[in-house]
């Protein structure tokens, strides 16, 4: 413990202070939020899931309740179990629980930013996400979207640790990735994206490895990676089965859930640029536009700085230079932030309302923006003395010329 405290920097302590401050405000205000239009049916779903277990698996009413069975019931089941033991009413308990999970997500972006670019980037990522209205406001009412986004960002974090250590990741990281994947699947089937990010990490490692040493030398490494990752999949499937039992009643049920959500027409409307449109017929740029509207300007500046920094590094990159572990981790984070948005633009699934159902891309965007601000600040600090020296020399020459002319 003492060693851990000694390794903390001023930016780490700043992040801890921000987390404590947000937790204090959230705890003081969580009971002031009203009930959202989704919470009543979601709570009923949680109660029906509990009945499924307490009835000895004989009451299957949860799997015929509206279309809620297409979702996992992790949050709703947990809230149902906690409510009788806390001194709050049912919905106040849900809001407090969701806020606590949202704060865990803030800690996740801090850890990921720190992993990618150091403590200062982690602090910036945390602060940027805390300043994002859809995140902080959603922490009290969006009891599906916030927990799912938190599960995804922790899954990305452990996946980044795994990708940086390929082909020999730590077993602890693998197991925690499996927990994150399983809990996320226990909320929404879209968590399968974490497997796509895993494939990207392995592919990034394999391309460089084969290019530098040949295919034969790494065939065994691929088999080792598959064997090491297997426990994560077992853990994930077991957790999914507990919190989303409908998914394991038939092996194809998760596929049916994916199909359901990608083509669902809810018969409601949304607004874009003053035009009222059906949520199933929004234009391709609906999500990118709403992200630019909803995200803080400073976060967008950080993303622009990260993009410029990437292009500058790419320009200086040596030919056939191996991709280090940190770059693989960065590639995973970029994929987590941009692939879902690209999917929306290409496939044009039902938009529902604004960015709420794609809220899980906001934490990795905040991480990338934090890295961008960190590099922008570092570049400014490096160039500051050089610019000051050049300015001073120019001023000396100007003064010298004026003095010589007057003399």
């Amino acid at each position: 413990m003492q060693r851990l405290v000694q390794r903390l920097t001023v930016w780490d302590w700043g992040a801890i202070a921000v987390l404590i401050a947000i937790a204090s405000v959230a705890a003081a205000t969580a009971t002031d939020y009203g009930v959202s239009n989704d919470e009543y049916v979601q709570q009923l779903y949680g109660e029906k899931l509990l009945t499924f277990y307490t009835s000895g698996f004989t009451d299957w009413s949860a799997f015929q309740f509206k279309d809620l069975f297409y979702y996992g019931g992790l949050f709703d089941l947990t809230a149902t179990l906690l409510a009788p033991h806390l001194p709050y009413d049912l919905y106040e308990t849900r809001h407090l629980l969701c806020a606590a999970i949202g704060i865990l997500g803030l800690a996740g972006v801090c850890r990921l930013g720190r992993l990618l670019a150091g403590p200062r980037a982690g602090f910036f990522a945390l602060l940027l996400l805390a300043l994002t209205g859809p995140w902080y406001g959603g922490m009290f009412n969006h009891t599906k979207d916030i927990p799912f986004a938190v599960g995804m960002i922790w899954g990305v974090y452990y996946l980044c640790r795994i990708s940086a250590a390929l082909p020999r990741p730590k077993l602890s990281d693998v197991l925690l990735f499996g927990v994150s994947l399983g809990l996320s699947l226990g909320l929404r089937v879209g968590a399968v994206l974490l497997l796509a990010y895993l494939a990207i990490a392995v592919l990034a490692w394999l391309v460089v490895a084969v290019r530098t040493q040949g295919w034969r030398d790494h065939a065994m490494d691929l088999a080792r990676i598959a064997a090491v990752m297997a426990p994560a999949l077992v853990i994930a499937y077991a957790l999914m089965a507990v919190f989303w039992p409908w998914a394991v009643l038939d092996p194809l049920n998760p596929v049916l859930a994916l199909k359901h959500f990608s083509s669902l027409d809810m018969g409601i409307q949304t607004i874009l640029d003053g035009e009222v449109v059906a949520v199933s017929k929004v234009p391709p740029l609906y999500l990118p536009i709403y992200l630019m509207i909803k995200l803080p300007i400073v976060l967008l500046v950080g993303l622009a700085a990260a993009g410029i920094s990437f292009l500058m590094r790419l320009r200086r990159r040596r030919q056939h230079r191996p991709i280090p572990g940190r770059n693989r981790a960065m590639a995973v984070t970029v994929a987590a932030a941009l692939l879902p948005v690209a999917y929306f633009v290409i496939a044009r699934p039902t938009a529902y309302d604004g960015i709420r159902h794609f809220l899980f891309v906001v934490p990795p965007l905040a991480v990338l923006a934090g890295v961008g601000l960190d590099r922008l600040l570092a570049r400014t600090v490096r160039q500051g003395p050089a610019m000051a020296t050049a300015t001073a020399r120019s001023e000396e020459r100007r003064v010298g010329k004026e003095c010589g002319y007057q003399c």
Side-chain angles (χ1 to χ4, degrees):
M1 184 66 178
Q2 185 176 1
R3 288 184 179 180
L4 176 62
V5 172
Q6 290 175 347
R7 288 201 302 266
L8 294 178
T9 69
V10 64
W11 297 103
D12 294 316
W13 287 112
I16 292 171
V18 170
L19 283 172
I20 292 174
I22 294 173
S24 301
V25 174
T29 60
T31 57
D32 296 333
Y33 289 80
V35 180
S36 70
N37 60 335
D38 291 333
E39 282 191 272
Y40 176 70
V41 293
Q42 289 174 352
Q43 179 58 35
L44 284 180
Y45 178 52
E47 294 171 3
K48 288 179 180 294
L49 281 177
L50 182 58
T51 302
F52 168 70
Y53 286 111
T54 56
S55 67
F57 311 108
T58 60
D59 187 332
W60 285 33
S61 60
F63 310 137
Q64 288 89 38
F65 181 56
K66 295 182 179 293
D67 66 346
L68 270 292
F69 56 86
Y70 287 116
Y71 292 96
L74 170 60
F75 181 90
D76 307 307
L77 183 59
T78 303
T80 301
L81 291 170
L82 283 178
H85 307 289
L86 296 178
Y88 307 99
D89 73 25
L90 177 61
Y91 292 100
E92 288 176 343
T93 297
R94 288 175 63 92
H95 298 166
L96 281 165
L97 177 61
C98 193
I101 294 172
I103 292 168
L104 182 62
L106 292 172
V109 298
C110 183
R111 290 291 297 272
L112 181 54
R114 197 182 195 281
L115 177 69
L116 295 178
R120 186 169 60 188
F123 173 80
F124 285 153
L126 163 63
L127 197 59
L128 289 172
L129 186 59
L131 292 172
T132 301
W135 184 267
Y136 183 82
M139 285 198 329
F140 303 93
N141 283 106
H142 293 165
T143 56
K144 274 283 191 291
D145 308 292
I146 289 290
F148 178 71
V150 173
M152 292 294 284
I153 196 61
W154 278 100
V156 170
Y157 169 72
Y158 287 112
L159 185 52
C160 284
R161 290 176 61 93
I162 290 169
S163 65
L166 288 175
R168 294 175 176 81
K170 292 183 178 179
L171 180 59
S172 59
D173 292 332
V174 171
L175 297 179
L176 288 170
F177 171 72
V179 171
S180 300
L181 174 59
L183 294 179
S184 300
L185 286 169
L187 289 158
R188 190 182 294 170
V189 69
V192 294
L193 280 169
L194 287 172
L195 298 179
Y197 306 153
L198 172 61
I200 290 172
V202 174
L203 183 62
W205 163 80
L206 184 62
V207 167
V208 175
V210 170
R211 180 184 297 174
T212 55
Q213 299 180 17
W215 173 264
R216 291 184 179 179
D217 294 334
H218 295 285
M220 290 300 297
D221 284 334
L222 272 179
R224 184 182 297 111
I225 291 172
V228 170
M229 294 304 301
L233 301 181
V234 173
I235 291 173
Y237 193 83
L239 288 172
M240 181 183 72
V242 171
F243 296 111
W244 188 22
W246 179 81
V248 298
L249 296 181
D250 187 307
L252 293 179
N253 277 351
V255 178
L256 294 177
L258 280 172
K259 183 179 179 181
H260 172 79
F261 289 119
S262 63
S263 59
L264 179 63
D265 187 355
M266 301 181 65
I268 61 176
Q269 296 176 319
T270 186
I271 297 176
L272 179 64
D273 195 24
E275 297 290 333
V276 177
V277 294
V279 294
S280 59
K281 298 180 180 178
V282 296
L285 295 181
Y286 175 88
L287 179 60
I289 289 172
Y290 263 97
L291 282 170
M292 287 189 288
I293 292 172
K294 294 286 189 177
L295 298 180
I297 293 177
V298 65
L299 195 153
L300 298 177
V301 171
L303 288 174
I308 294 171
S309 175
F310 171 76
L311 292 175
M312 293 177 65
R313 286 171 176 260
L314 191 64
R315 187 177 180 182
R316 295 193 301 264
R317 181 176 176 267
R318 295 178 183 177
Q319 194 71 17
H320 304 305
R321 181 182 177 184
I323 301 176
R326 181 170 290 187
N327 282 3
R328 288 197 297 270
M330 183 67 74
V332 170
T333 307
V334 171
L338 300 184
L339 275 186
V341 180
Y343 163 76
F344 182 94
V345 172
I346 296 170
R348 297 176 62 183
T350 301
Y352 299 96
D353 52 349
I355 68 171
R356 183 161 69 95
H357 287 80
F358 281 81
L359 194 60
F360 64 94
V361 305
V362 175
L365 285 173
V367 171
L368 294 177
V371 172
L373 291 180
D374 173 76
R375 290 178 176 173
L376 179 62
L377 182 59
R379 188 173 183 84
T380 302
V381 170
R382 286 197 304 268
Q383 291 186 346
M387 292 179 63
T389 302
T391 302
R393 290 177 179 174
S394 176
E395 185 65 14
E396 288 177 359
R397 287 194 296 268
R398 184 186 67 79
V399 172
K401 289 180 180 179
E402 291 181 356
C403 180
Y405 174 76
Q406 292 173 0
C407 292

